[in-house]
Amino acid sequence: MADGPPAFFGSPLFAPAMRALTRIHVAVFQATGGRVGGRFRFGSAFPHGVPVCLLTTRGRKSGKARTCALIHLPDGDRVVLVASRGGTPRSPQWYFNVLSQPRVLVRTRGGARRMLAYEAEGDEREALWERLVALYPEYAAWTDRRIPVVVCEPPLGA
């Protein structure tokens, strides 16, 4: 059984607070090229931090570009993401956007790249999940749901 997310995750203020913090994080990352905001230092990631990227998806309903800051696992020329939404019971909106439109833009401290995203399954998912939990153990501690793992890779021929 998972320990569960921190109590404030259940607060009605959680979602609006996360939206505001995400906007600030994205703006700071973009303004500094990731020098500030390029590492996440919360929980087990303190003090050294884990890498953060900006993911831009196309809203499946609005069609608008949506950008969020996410912990990522570098994997060669791929970027691996976790649709954890902080260990809450539901997947984040960016995940549903990716399922609807897999063309994404990923920004790391190394620059921006257009990529194609897909949900990892089977042995690939399990191998990546082990590495993700080693990177940030809270992924496994805060929920019992099967959290989707999303792989972003360069398009063929790129």
Side-chain angles (χ1 to χ4, degrees):
M1 176 75 180
D3 295 337
F8 65 84
F9 282 21
S11 163
L13 299 176
F14 174 72
M18 288 306 297
R19 280 192 294 276
L21 288 172
T22 294
R23 280 190 214 106
I24 293 167
H25 193 158
V26 167
V28 169
F29 187 109
Q30 289 173 330
T32 67
R35 288 183 309 279
V36 178
R39 296 199 70 78
F40 181 75
R41 293 177 169 86
F42 181 78
S44 64
F46 185 82
H48 303 293
V50 293
V52 171
C53 70
L54 298 185
L55 175 71
T56 302
T57 62
R58 183 75 42 200
R60 68 191 181 287
K61 295 177 184 175
S62 70
K64 295 179 182 178
R66 305 286 185 195
T67 302
C68 58
L70 301 168
I71 293 173
H72 76 280
L73 173 69
D75 185 49
D77 62 350
R78 305 183 324 164
V79 172
V80 181
L81 308 171
V82 180
S84 67
R85 195 171 175 253
T88 60
R90 296 187 345 234
S91 294
Q93 292 303 310
W94 68 259
Y95 166 72
F96 298 109
N97 291 344
V98 163
L99 294 180
S100 174
Q101 174 50 260
R103 290 188 198 105
V104 299
L105 179 67
V106 178
R107 288 184 191 96
T108 62
R109 286 192 67 180
R113 297 183 288 162
R114 297 210 176 277
M115 304 184 98
L116 291 175
Y118 68 91
E119 184 173 352
E121 297 289 349
D123 291 343
E124 179 186 29
R125 185 209 180 271
E126 295 312 311
L128 291 170
W129 181 251
E130 281 183 29
R131 292 175 58 203
L132 289 160
V133 171
L135 177 71
Y136 193 64
E138 281 83 345
Y139 287 139
W142 288 350
T143 187
D144 287 328
R145 76 176 167 94
R146 183 178 182 277
I147 297 174
V149 173
V150 174
V151 177
C152 301
E153 60 185 11
L156 292 175

